[in-house]
Amino acid sequence: MNQTDRPIANPIVVLREEFDDWAVLFNPDTAEAVGTNPVGVAVWKRMDGKRSIEDIAAEIKNSFEDAPDAAFKEIAAFVNRLAENGFVGLELESK
Amino acid sequence: MPEELKDKTEPTVSKVMRTPRSLIIEITSRCNLRCRYCYFFNNPAMVYRDLPANEWLTFFDELGSLGVMKVTLAGGEPFIREDLPVLLEGIVRNRMRFSFLSNGGLINDEIAAFMAGTGRCEYVQVSVDGSCAEVHDSCRGQGSFDGAIRGIRTLQRHRIRVAVRVTIHRNNVHDLENIAHFLLDELGLPDFGTNSAGYMGTCCGNADDVLLNIEERKEAMATLLRLTAKYDGRISSNAGPLTDGRMWRRMEEARAQGKPAFHNGGRLTACGCPNNKISVRADGAIVPCNMLAHVELGRINHDSLAEIWQNSPALNQLRNRHSIPLTGFEFCAGCSYIPYCTGNCPGLGYTLTGMVDHPSPDACLRRFLEEGGAIA
């Protein structure tokens, strides 16, 4: 996965914000669910196929005071995990 | 709730998720059968009136907007609705999955193919109460066994998961070994669940003929514990003799050895349902649970489900049953099992005592032993 890849949230996936600090992404077609924290929710809401992972990471770092320097790496890993499960698609940067 | 307990149980609402994860919806009050222990019919809390499809579809839109993940369709018999495909389309459109509680007799290839085609069906629970028609039909009516098995085979052909539930009563308690063999070996089901007929609805009028007596409960517990070992965990339960047998064995062991109280022991902690799901009656009344059908919290399409879920005083009171100590109940006075007891099902507690906030006498180990019971 590259910094320039633009993730798109699978529109069939449901975001359930269950508690202030906990949410679930649920794919009704597969019954798979992934738990996530507020940062994950913020990432999810930005995966519109227009922002690159780099863009999303930059926005997250600005939005969350305690976002670590390794935010990009962690966000990329999160997006990658979602992509493997079919929760997001990736718009690849053409070269 | 006993008066003296009220001061001790000042509501401290535990953290509740913003919306329910799942609902049980009785989409119809009609049924093709009249089972002798049915909790649904002859229940004074029920209103036997069906809603048109458009009311359900509007409600499903609300559920979709709340991020509800799953609905369980019950009744009555849910497959009796001629417009079922329209309802299922509404569920699918709103990004939910679905399952059914059914007697199986009205399931045909057409509806099974439709359900399979959605890719959203979790399972269909079909009731099978005997290894043969004679036993099964004794409480469910002539022809119901053939219908149930035909329904199961239809679902299997369409690769829809079948979850059989065996309700244990006086007429099938001696057939459990045959039932397990029939379901697991002959029908090839991966597993099945059990419970027992409870003192609700139609059963109240047939209690002497249907409900297990002490000797039969002992037999059911011993047989089921033996069969679970034989079939390596392929028999499960959330209530009934198998659950009682397992729980009571643990309780007796803990009491005899003077072990510390169980987690959540000694209070009315048995039911966690109101923290993650809610129910709707066939007439559209929103209730905490199908077993507490008299506790009306609001109506679909008139009241906000999210508002009810988060702020209903009746629902929050139910969620706070866990703060009510068993030591305050006269029923529990002097009982040495209190540290290990959770009070069990509030629905059954209500039908047997008239109080929701009361331990269920049906699941009382001390009473069971005093009446001649023994732990398997």
Side-chain angles (χ1 to χ4, degrees), chain A residues 1-8 46-57 72 75-76 79-80 83 88-95:
Chain A
M1 184 181 300
N2 298 313
Q3 296 183 34
T4 49
D5 290 345
R6 298 188 300 274
I8 311 172
R46 286 168 169 79
M47 292 197 285
D48 56 6
K50 295 172 185 166
R51 295 171 168 94
S52 67
I53 297 175
E54 190 176 33
D55 295 336
I56 293 172
F72 171 78
I75 290 169
V79 174
N80 206 31
V88 302
L90 289 174
E91 188 80 22
L92 302 179
E93 182 72 10
S94 56
K95 297 190 175 177

Side-chain angles (χ1 to χ4, degrees), chain A residues 3 16-18 24 27 30 33 46 53 55 57 62 74:
Chain A
Q3 296 183 34
R16 274 183 56 81
E17 293 181 80
E18 298 197 329
V24 172
N27 185 338
T30 62
R46 286 168 169 79
I53 297 175
D55 295 336
N62 287 334
E74 289 179 17

Side-chain angles (χ1 to χ4, degrees), chain B residues 27 49-53 55-56 81 83 281-284 299-300:
Chain B
I27 55 170
R49 179 173 70 86
D50 281 13
L51 298 181
E55 290 238 35
W56 290 119
R81 277 198 79 124
D83 54 6
R281 290 192 327 221
D283 65 323
R299 303 198 72 78
I300 67 164

